[in-house]
Amino acid sequence: MVFELTDELVDSIISALENQEQQFAVDASSGMLVEIKDIECDEDSFYMIPSWSSADGFNLMEQFVNNLHSPMARNDLLTVLRSGRGVFRGFKDVLKSYPEVEKKWHYFKNKQLINYVNQWYNSLRETWGLEKLDCEIEETEDLLRDDFTFLPYDYSCDSEEIFESLDLVAKEYSSEYPSEVGLALADLWKAESEVEFGKNACGFVCRSYSKEFTGCAIFAPCLKNAPNTVLLTSFFVQKKYRGLGIGRELFEQALAELKNRHFKWVLIANTIIPESITPLLLRSGFKPIGSGYIAELFAN
């Protein structure tokens, strides 16, 4: 007997997959999920849902972590996966410390399980002599915009938090090189990033929906004899929020704002430029010049 795989039935099956204590089947006559112990299973009327073991659940978590680009969350989750005990509980506990990553996990998990159920249903359709359904899930969620706000830089509201955050990033440099060199690099980076936060500066600031400052991209006009040129003064994302695409979004919105203001040239003259942002600069049209970068916003 043929049955239709409705959205409601998919949700019910997904909920039942992780239930290791009960077994369920689809009642083709009603299109509903029923527990096996309550019925006498007839293969023409009842279809066992696909199996899902704790090993499958572990593999799904491992797949997610291996493709996660948020370094802090990734390291913490890898530690849990390698611990060998209390993995599922530990995984959930770690995610609570990273709400944005937790949301990415639930979206990833739900998408993978929907695809898993759809594949099972298409295998049934083959036995029924029916064509497979196109069950590809469209990427409709903008997780970044759902979890963060990107607003133009406002000196009166943002400058103090940016200064405080500069100290945290500077400490990262000093910890990476636990010697006098680390302290020198930290001071140099901070000095370069504090060049200009005045009212003439522009750019974008990112905050979580709990209003926590997460990063910024700030540009300042150059000298009076170069009115069409701006200098990147600060561009960073708090360590906890890296790898989520925040830096890319900040940079793209800031460059768009510079175009709106009719600036022509953008300079990056920082002595310390992390290798991780080089691909973003090159994609955005920047070219190396000396130890820095330059971009022409209205290049022919």
Side-chain angles (χ1 to χ4, degrees):
M1 183 182 296
V2 176
F3 66 89
E4 179 184 359
L5 187 65
T6 63
D7 290 341
E8 293 77 14
L9 182 55
V10 171
D11 290 341
S12 296
I13 294 174
I14 288 176
S15 297
L17 285 178
E18 296 182 286
N19 188 330
Q20 302 295 311
E21 299 178 357
Q22 298 168 284
Q23 290 184 307
F24 296 89
V26 177
D27 181 350
S29 61
S30 66
M32 303 288 288
L33 206 62
V34 295
E35 190 176 353
I36 293 297
K37 71 175 186 178
D38 296 333
I39 54 126
E40 186 175 336
C41 212
D42 175 357
E43 292 184 359
D44 292 328
S45 303
F46 297 92
Y47 296 89
M48 292 285 295
I49 66 171
S51 61
W52 185 262
S53 65
S54 57
D56 294 317
F58 181 88
N59 290 337
L60 195 63
M61 294 189 297
E62 194 172 46
Q63 183 183 348
F64 173 75
V65 174
N66 287 339
N67 290 282
L68 184 62
H69 300 295
S70 182
M72 288 185 67
R74 186 175 187 274
N75 289 338
D76 288 348
L77 290 171
L78 278 175
T79 299
V80 169
L81 292 179
R82 293 167 179 168
S83 66
R85 51 188 302 183
V87 171
F88 291 91
R89 170 53 58 187
F91 196 86
K92 291 181 180 179
D93 290 342
V94 168
L95 286 175
K96 289 178 182 178
S97 300
Y98 302 94
E100 291 75 19
V101 175
E102 183 178 31
K103 185 168 184 179
K104 288 171 71 76
W105 158 248
H106 288 306
Y107 178 68
F108 169 82
K109 178 182 176 183
N110 192 56
K111 179 183 175 182
Q112 296 301 314
L113 290 178
I114 289 175
N115 285 334
Y116 183 65
V117 173
N118 285 338
Q119 290 171 8
W120 164 75
Y121 183 65
N122 271 331
S123 67
L124 289 179
R125 289 181 65 87
E126 280 192 297
T127 65
W128 299 333
L130 300 176
E131 291 184 3
K132 290 184 177 181
L133 298 178
D134 182 6
C135 301
E136 190 66 27
I137 301 175
E138 295 184 6
E139 298 285 351
T140 57
E141 285 202 31
D142 188 345
L143 297 179
L144 192 63
R145 297 296 184 90
D146 287 345
D147 290 330
F148 299 94
T149 57
F150 295 85
L151 297 173
Y153 167 68
D154 184 331
Y155 176 82
S156 62
C157 299
D158 303 321
S159 57
E160 184 175 344
E161 282 186 291
I162 292 176
F163 275 116
E164 292 175 357
S165 298
L166 288 176
D167 286 329
L168 296 176
V169 180
K171 288 178 180 178
E172 289 183 45
Y173 282 105
S174 62
S175 63
E176 287 180 21
Y177 300 90
S179 65
E180 184 175 319
V181 173
L183 296 174
L185 288 173
D187 287 344
L188 180 60
W189 181 86
K190 188 177 178 184
E192 291 180 337
S193 299
E194 290 178 341
V195 171
E196 177 63 63
F197 284 112
K199 296 179 181 179
N200 291 327
C202 64
F204 273 79
V205 169
C206 177
R207 296 180 185 278
S208 69
Y209 270 91
S210 61
K211 307 301 181 182
E212 182 179 357
F213 173 84
T214 64
C216 65
I218 309 296
F219 296 82
C222 288
L223 301 175
K224 292 181 180 179
N225 61 352
N228 298 314
T229 304
V230 293
L231 180 72
L232 175 67
T233 61
S234 286
F235 176 41
F236 64 91
V237 175
Q238 298 272 36
K239 188 174 183 180
K240 178 180 177 180
Y241 294 99
R242 290 174 198 163
L244 301 175
I246 292 173
R248 182 185 67 250
E249 185 70 18
L250 279 169
F251 204 69
E252 289 176 353
Q253 291 206 31
L255 290 182
E257 176 63 17
L258 294 177
K259 288 184 178 181
N260 289 337
R261 296 190 182 203
H262 304 291
F263 288 107
K264 184 177 182 180
W265 298 96
V266 182
L267 292 175
I268 300 177
N270 302 60
T271 303
I272 304 172
I273 300 175
E275 291 183 7
S276 58
I277 74 168
T278 300
L280 173 61
L281 297 179
L282 298 178
R283 286 197 304 269
S284 301
F286 283 79
K287 297 178 181 179
I289 178 172
S291 61
Y293 288 86
I294 187 170
E296 185 177 2
L297 297 179
F298 296 97
N300 294 326

PDB file of all heavy atoms in Angstrom, residues 222-249:
ATOM      1  N   CYS A 222      42.228  59.487   4.967  1.00  0.00           N
ATOM      2  CA  CYS A 222      43.650  59.770   5.073  1.00  0.00           C
ATOM      3  C   CYS A 222      43.873  61.277   5.203  1.00  0.00           C
ATOM      4  O   CYS A 222      42.963  62.017   5.544  1.00  0.00           O
ATOM      5  CB  CYS A 222      44.377  59.218   3.847  1.00  0.00           C
ATOM      6  SG  CYS A 222      44.477  57.402   3.861  1.00  0.00           S
ATOM      7  N   LEU A 223      45.064  61.739   4.912  1.00  0.00           N
ATOM      8  CA  LEU A 223      45.407  63.150   5.051  1.00  0.00           C
ATOM      9  C   LEU A 223      44.569  64.025   4.128  1.00  0.00           C
ATOM     10  O   LEU A 223      43.964  63.548   3.163  1.00  0.00           O
ATOM     11  CB  LEU A 223      46.899  63.338   4.757  1.00  0.00           C
ATOM     12  CG  LEU A 223      47.856  62.549   5.663  1.00  0.00           C
ATOM     13  CD1 LEU A 223      49.279  62.730   5.187  1.00  0.00           C
ATOM     14  CD2 LEU A 223      47.707  62.970   7.108  1.00  0.00           C
ATOM     15  N   LYS A 224      44.576  65.321   4.406  1.00  0.00           N
ATOM     16  CA  LYS A 224      43.753  66.255   3.649  1.00  0.00           C
ATOM     17  C   LYS A 224      44.105  66.275   2.164  1.00  0.00           C
ATOM     18  O   LYS A 224      43.259  66.564   1.313  1.00  0.00           O
ATOM     19  CB  LYS A 224      43.895  67.659   4.232  1.00  0.00           C
ATOM     20  CG  LYS A 224      43.287  67.797   5.626  1.00  0.00           C
ATOM     21  CD  LYS A 224      43.438  69.214   6.133  1.00  0.00           C
ATOM     22  CE  LYS A 224      42.817  69.344   7.529  1.00  0.00           C
ATOM     23  NZ  LYS A 224      42.964  70.719   8.070  1.00  0.00           N
ATOM     24  N   ASN A 225      45.367  65.979   1.825  1.00  0.00           N
ATOM     25  CA  ASN A 225      45.759  66.000   0.421  1.00  0.00           C
ATOM     26  C   ASN A 225      45.402  64.704  -0.304  1.00  0.00           C
ATOM     27  O   ASN A 225      45.777  64.514  -1.464  1.00  0.00           O
ATOM     28  CB  ASN A 225      47.256  66.288   0.277  1.00  0.00           C
ATOM     29  CG  ASN A 225      48.107  65.224   0.943  1.00  0.00           C
ATOM     30  OD1 ASN A 225      47.594  64.359   1.634  1.00  0.00           O
ATOM     31  ND2 ASN A 225      49.419  65.305   0.749  1.00  0.00           N
ATOM     32  N   ALA A 226      44.688  63.789   0.373  1.00  0.00           N
ATOM     33  CA  ALA A 226      44.221  62.545  -0.258  1.00  0.00           C
ATOM     34  C   ALA A 226      42.770  62.319   0.133  1.00  0.00           C
ATOM     35  O   ALA A 226      42.438  61.354   0.831  1.00  0.00           O
ATOM     36  CB  ALA A 226      45.095  61.372   0.158  1.00  0.00           C
ATOM     37  N   PRO A 227      41.854  63.195  -0.311  1.00  0.00           N
ATOM     38  CA  PRO A 227      40.456  63.137   0.148  1.00  0.00           C
ATOM     39  C   PRO A 227      39.677  61.936  -0.353  1.00  0.00           C
ATOM     40  O   PRO A 227      38.611  61.629   0.189  1.00  0.00           O
ATOM     41  CB  PRO A 227      39.862  64.439  -0.404  1.00  0.00           C
ATOM     42  CG  PRO A 227      40.698  64.740  -1.616  1.00  0.00           C
ATOM     43  CD  PRO A 227      42.086  64.308  -1.260  1.00  0.00           C
ATOM     44  N   ASN A 228      40.184  61.262  -1.365  1.00  0.00           N
ATOM     45  CA  ASN A 228      39.458  60.121  -1.940  1.00  0.00           C
ATOM     46  C   ASN A 228      39.974  58.771  -1.444  1.00  0.00           C
ATOM     47  O   ASN A 228      39.596  57.730  -1.970  1.00  0.00           O
ATOM     48  CB  ASN A 228      39.538  60.154  -3.471  1.00  0.00           C
ATOM     49  CG  ASN A 228      38.893  61.400  -4.054  1.00  0.00           C
ATOM     50  OD1 ASN A 228      37.794  61.774  -3.651  1.00  0.00           O
ATOM     51  ND2 ASN A 228      39.580  62.037  -4.992  1.00  0.00           N
ATOM     52  N   THR A 229      40.841  58.794  -0.438  1.00  0.00           N
ATOM     53  CA  THR A 229      41.494  57.576   0.043  1.00  0.00           C
ATOM     54  C   THR A 229      41.194  57.353   1.517  1.00  0.00           C
ATOM     55  O   THR A 229      41.211  58.294   2.314  1.00  0.00           O
ATOM     56  CB  THR A 229      43.014  57.666  -0.166  1.00  0.00           C
ATOM     57  OG1 THR A 229      43.283  57.929  -1.544  1.00  0.00           O
ATOM     58  CG2 THR A 229      43.693  56.362   0.230  1.00  0.00           C
ATOM     59  N   VAL A 230      40.914  56.094   1.872  1.00  0.00           N
ATOM     60  CA  VAL A 230      40.695  55.738   3.277  1.00  0.00           C
ATOM     61  C   VAL A 230      41.671  54.647   3.686  1.00  0.00           C
ATOM     62  O   VAL A 230      42.188  53.897   2.840  1.00  0.00           O
ATOM     63  CB  VAL A 230      39.249  55.260   3.545  1.00  0.00           C
ATOM     64  CG1 VAL A 230      38.262  56.392   3.367  1.00  0.00           C
ATOM     65  CG2 VAL A 230      38.897  54.079   2.659  1.00  0.00           C
ATOM     66  N   LEU A 231      41.883  54.562   4.984  1.00  0.00           N
ATOM     67  CA  LEU A 231      42.808  53.593   5.556  1.00  0.00           C
ATOM     68  C   LEU A 231      42.053  52.655   6.487  1.00  0.00           C
ATOM     69  O   LEU A 231      41.253  53.102   7.314  1.00  0.00           O
ATOM     70  CB  LEU A 231      43.891  54.330   6.350  1.00  0.00           C
ATOM     71  CG  LEU A 231      44.970  53.486   7.035  1.00  0.00           C
ATOM     72  CD1 LEU A 231      45.913  52.898   6.000  1.00  0.00           C
ATOM     73  CD2 LEU A 231      45.743  54.357   8.038  1.00  0.00           C
ATOM     74  N   LEU A 232      42.278  51.365   6.324  1.00  0.00           N
ATOM     75  CA  LEU A 232      41.692  50.399   7.260  1.00  0.00           C
ATOM     76  C   LEU A 232      42.407  50.536   8.592  1.00  0.00           C
ATOM     77  O   LEU A 232      43.631  50.351   8.679  1.00  0.00           O
ATOM     78  CB  LEU A 232      41.855  48.974   6.731  1.00  0.00           C
ATOM     79  CG  LEU A 232      41.389  47.856   7.687  1.00  0.00           C
ATOM     80  CD1 LEU A 232      39.879  47.912   7.871  1.00  0.00           C
ATOM     81  CD2 LEU A 232      41.802  46.490   7.150  1.00  0.00           C
ATOM     82  N   THR A 233      41.676  50.875   9.639  1.00  0.00           N
ATOM     83  CA  THR A 233      42.300  51.045  10.949  1.00  0.00           C
ATOM     84  C   THR A 233      42.074  49.852  11.867  1.00  0.00           C
ATOM     85  O   THR A 233      42.962  49.474  12.630  1.00  0.00           O
ATOM     86  CB  THR A 233      41.774  52.322  11.640  1.00  0.00           C
ATOM     87  OG1 THR A 233      40.360  52.205  11.830  1.00  0.00           O
ATOM     88  CG2 THR A 233      42.076  53.549  10.798  1.00  0.00           C
ATOM     89  N   SER A 234      40.887  49.264  11.807  1.00  0.00           N
ATOM     90  CA  SER A 234      40.600  48.103  12.667  1.00  0.00           C
ATOM     91  C   SER A 234      39.686  47.124  11.950  1.00  0.00           C
ATOM     92  O   SER A 234      38.642  47.509  11.416  1.00  0.00           O
ATOM     93  CB  SER A 234      39.935  48.539  13.974  1.00  0.00           C
ATOM     94  OG  SER A 234      40.866  49.139  14.835  1.00  0.00           O
ATOM     95  N   PHE A 235      40.102  45.876  11.959  1.00  0.00           N
ATOM     96  CA  PHE A 235      39.289  44.820  11.367  1.00  0.00           C
ATOM     97  C   PHE A 235      39.566  43.540  12.137  1.00  0.00           C
ATOM     98  O   PHE A 235      40.643  42.954  12.028  1.00  0.00           O
ATOM     99  CB  PHE A 235      39.622  44.645   9.889  1.00  0.00           C
ATOM    100  CG  PHE A 235      38.886  43.507   9.222  1.00  0.00           C
ATOM    101  CD1 PHE A 235      37.546  43.271   9.489  1.00  0.00           C
ATOM    102  CD2 PHE A 235      39.538  42.666   8.337  1.00  0.00           C
ATOM    103  CE1 PHE A 235      36.858  42.235   8.887  1.00  0.00           C
ATOM    104  CE2 PHE A 235      38.867  41.626   7.716  1.00  0.00           C
ATOM    105  CZ  PHE A 235      37.524  41.411   7.996  1.00  0.00           C
ATOM    106  N   PHE A 236      38.620  43.123  12.962  1.00  0.00           N
ATOM    107  CA  PHE A 236      38.815  41.901  13.747  1.00  0.00           C
ATOM    108  C   PHE A 236      37.459  41.363  14.211  1.00  0.00           C
ATOM    109  O   PHE A 236      36.452  42.069  14.210  1.00  0.00           O
ATOM    110  CB  PHE A 236      39.710  42.160  14.973  1.00  0.00           C
ATOM    111  CG  PHE A 236      39.125  43.118  15.971  1.00  0.00           C
ATOM    112  CD1 PHE A 236      38.347  42.667  17.025  1.00  0.00           C
ATOM    113  CD2 PHE A 236      39.344  44.482  15.855  1.00  0.00           C
ATOM    114  CE1 PHE A 236      37.801  43.545  17.951  1.00  0.00           C
ATOM    115  CE2 PHE A 236      38.810  45.370  16.779  1.00  0.00           C
ATOM    116  CZ  PHE A 236      38.036  44.902  17.825  1.00  0.00           C
ATOM    117  N   VAL A 237      37.469  40.097  14.574  1.00  0.00           N
ATOM    118  CA  VAL A 237      36.293  39.415  15.123  1.00  0.00           C
ATOM    119  C   VAL A 237      36.723  38.751  16.426  1.00  0.00           C
ATOM    120  O   VAL A 237      37.814  38.156  16.498  1.00  0.00           O
ATOM    121  CB  VAL A 237      35.738  38.360  14.140  1.00  0.00           C
ATOM    122  CG1 VAL A 237      34.586  37.578  14.773  1.00  0.00           C
ATOM    123  CG2 VAL A 237      35.275  39.027  12.848  1.00  0.00           C
ATOM    124  N   GLN A 238      35.892  38.867  17.435  1.00  0.00           N
ATOM    125  CA  GLN A 238      36.203  38.221  18.717  1.00  0.00           C
ATOM    126  C   GLN A 238      36.441  36.726  18.500  1.00  0.00           C
ATOM    127  O   GLN A 238      35.752  36.079  17.706  1.00  0.00           O
ATOM    128  CB  GLN A 238      35.036  38.416  19.701  1.00  0.00           C
ATOM    129  CG  GLN A 238      34.748  39.865  20.040  1.00  0.00           C
ATOM    130  CD  GLN A 238      35.562  40.356  21.209  1.00  0.00           C
ATOM    131  OE1 GLN A 238      36.708  39.981  21.368  1.00  0.00           O
ATOM    132  NE2 GLN A 238      34.968  41.186  22.033  1.00  0.00           N
ATOM    133  N   LYS A 239      37.405  36.177  19.227  1.00  0.00           N
ATOM    134  CA  LYS A 239      37.847  34.801  19.006  1.00  0.00           C
ATOM    135  C   LYS A 239      36.693  33.805  19.058  1.00  0.00           C
ATOM    136  O   LYS A 239      36.623  32.872  18.255  1.00  0.00           O
ATOM    137  CB  LYS A 239      38.909  34.445  20.051  1.00  0.00           C
ATOM    138  CG  LYS A 239      39.585  33.102  19.796  1.00  0.00           C
ATOM    139  CD  LYS A 239      40.723  32.898  20.783  1.00  0.00           C
ATOM    140  CE  LYS A 239      41.450  31.583  20.495  1.00  0.00           C
ATOM    141  NZ  LYS A 239      42.572  31.362  21.444  1.00  0.00           N
ATOM    142  N   LYS A 240      35.782  34.010  19.977  1.00  0.00           N
ATOM    143  CA  LYS A 240      34.664  33.085  20.166  1.00  0.00           C
ATOM    144  C   LYS A 240      33.772  33.003  18.936  1.00  0.00           C
ATOM    145  O   LYS A 240      33.104  31.993  18.699  1.00  0.00           O
ATOM    146  CB  LYS A 240      33.851  33.533  21.377  1.00  0.00           C
ATOM    147  CG  LYS A 240      32.633  32.693  21.684  1.00  0.00           C
ATOM    148  CD  LYS A 240      31.908  33.230  22.908  1.00  0.00           C
ATOM    149  CE  LYS A 240      30.635  32.453  23.210  1.00  0.00           C
ATOM    150  NZ  LYS A 240      29.933  32.974  24.396  1.00  0.00           N
ATOM    151  N   TYR A 241      33.757  34.069  18.122  1.00  0.00           N
ATOM    152  CA  TYR A 241      32.822  34.141  17.000  1.00  0.00           C
ATOM    153  C   TYR A 241      33.485  33.964  15.639  1.00  0.00           C
ATOM    154  O   TYR A 241      32.846  34.165  14.609  1.00  0.00           O
ATOM    155  CB  TYR A 241      32.094  35.483  17.039  1.00  0.00           C
ATOM    156  CG  TYR A 241      31.195  35.649  18.237  1.00  0.00           C
ATOM    157  CD1 TYR A 241      31.617  36.367  19.357  1.00  0.00           C
ATOM    158  CD2 TYR A 241      29.930  35.066  18.269  1.00  0.00           C
ATOM    159  CE1 TYR A 241      30.797  36.504  20.471  1.00  0.00           C
ATOM    160  CE2 TYR A 241      29.111  35.203  19.378  1.00  0.00           C
ATOM    161  CZ  TYR A 241      29.551  35.924  20.475  1.00  0.00           C
ATOM    162  OH  TYR A 241      28.736  36.056  21.574  1.00  0.00           O
ATOM    163  N   ARG A 242      34.734  33.602  15.613  1.00  0.00           N
ATOM    164  CA  ARG A 242      35.412  33.433  14.325  1.00  0.00           C
ATOM    165  C   ARG A 242      34.963  32.163  13.632  1.00  0.00           C
ATOM    166  O   ARG A 242      34.597  31.185  14.265  1.00  0.00           O
ATOM    167  CB  ARG A 242      36.929  33.425  14.530  1.00  0.00           C
ATOM    168  CG  ARG A 242      37.468  34.785  14.930  1.00  0.00           C
ATOM    169  CD  ARG A 242      38.932  34.740  15.274  1.00  0.00           C
ATOM    170  NE  ARG A 242      39.298  35.933  16.037  1.00  0.00           N
ATOM    171  CZ  ARG A 242      40.392  36.052  16.760  1.00  0.00           C
ATOM    172  NH1 ARG A 242      41.241  35.047  16.827  1.00  0.00           N
ATOM    173  NH2 ARG A 242      40.636  37.166  17.423  1.00  0.00           N
ATOM    174  N   GLY A 243      35.031  32.218  12.310  1.00  0.00           N
ATOM    175  CA  GLY A 243      34.668  31.055  11.509  1.00  0.00           C
ATOM    176  C   GLY A 243      33.202  30.979  11.152  1.00  0.00           C
ATOM    177  O   GLY A 243      32.765  30.020  10.523  1.00  0.00           O
ATOM    178  N   LEU A 244      32.419  31.999  11.502  1.00  0.00           N
ATOM    179  CA  LEU A 244      30.983  31.999  11.220  1.00  0.00           C
ATOM    180  C   LEU A 244      30.621  32.881  10.024  1.00  0.00           C
ATOM    181  O   LEU A 244      29.462  32.992   9.660  1.00  0.00           O
ATOM    182  CB  LEU A 244      30.197  32.475  12.451  1.00  0.00           C
ATOM    183  CG  LEU A 244      30.381  31.653  13.724  1.00  0.00           C
ATOM    184  CD1 LEU A 244      29.642  32.299  14.890  1.00  0.00           C
ATOM    185  CD2 LEU A 244      29.902  30.223  13.526  1.00  0.00           C
ATOM    186  N   GLY A 245      31.622  33.518   9.415  1.00  0.00           N
ATOM    187  CA  GLY A 245      31.360  34.392   8.272  1.00  0.00           C
ATOM    188  C   GLY A 245      31.161  35.846   8.648  1.00  0.00           C
ATOM    189  O   GLY A 245      30.831  36.675   7.782  1.00  0.00           O
ATOM    190  N   ILE A 246      31.371  36.186   9.921  1.00  0.00           N
ATOM    191  CA  ILE A 246      31.147  37.559  10.381  1.00  0.00           C
ATOM    192  C   ILE A 246      32.145  38.518   9.737  1.00  0.00           C
ATOM    193  O   ILE A 246      31.778  39.607   9.273  1.00  0.00           O
ATOM    194  CB  ILE A 246      31.248  37.635  11.913  1.00  0.00           C
ATOM    195  CG1 ILE A 246      30.087  36.879  12.549  1.00  0.00           C
ATOM    196  CG2 ILE A 246      31.256  39.090  12.392  1.00  0.00           C
ATOM    197  CD1 ILE A 246      30.192  36.752  14.061  1.00  0.00           C
ATOM    198  N   GLY A 247      33.415  38.138   9.695  1.00  0.00           N
ATOM    199  CA  GLY A 247      34.434  38.999   9.112  1.00  0.00           C
ATOM    200  C   GLY A 247      34.144  39.328   7.668  1.00  0.00           C
ATOM    201  O   GLY A 247      34.273  40.484   7.236  1.00  0.00           O
ATOM    202  N   ARG A 248      33.775  38.328   6.901  1.00  0.00           N
ATOM    203  CA  ARG A 248      33.453  38.549   5.479  1.00  0.00           C
ATOM    204  C   ARG A 248      32.294  39.520   5.324  1.00  0.00           C
ATOM    205  O   ARG A 248      32.346  40.451   4.520  1.00  0.00           O
ATOM    206  CB  ARG A 248      33.107  37.212   4.818  1.00  0.00           C
ATOM    207  CG  ARG A 248      32.809  37.350   3.320  1.00  0.00           C
ATOM    208  CD  ARG A 248      32.349  36.040   2.710  1.00  0.00           C
ATOM    209  NE  ARG A 248      31.048  35.633   3.234  1.00  0.00           N
ATOM    210  CZ  ARG A 248      30.854  34.609   4.051  1.00  0.00           C
ATOM    211  NH1 ARG A 248      31.880  33.881   4.462  1.00  0.00           N
ATOM    212  NH2 ARG A 248      29.651  34.300   4.495  1.00  0.00           N
ATOM    213  N   GLU A 249      31.238  39.332   6.126  1.00  0.00           N
ATOM    214  CA  GLU A 249      30.071  40.198   6.031  1.00  0.00           C
ATOM    215  C   GLU A 249      30.417  41.632   6.444  1.00  0.00           C
ATOM    216  O   GLU A 249      29.986  42.593   5.802  1.00  0.00           O
ATOM    217  CB  GLU A 249      28.956  39.658   6.919  1.00  0.00           C
ATOM    218  CG  GLU A 249      27.634  40.401   6.815  1.00  0.00           C
ATOM    219  CD  GLU A 249      26.922  40.194   5.494  1.00  0.00           C
ATOM    220  OE1 GLU A 249      27.249  39.228   4.778  1.00  0.00           O
ATOM    221  OE2 GLU A 249      26.039  41.014   5.179  1.00  0.00           O
TER     222      GLU A 249
END
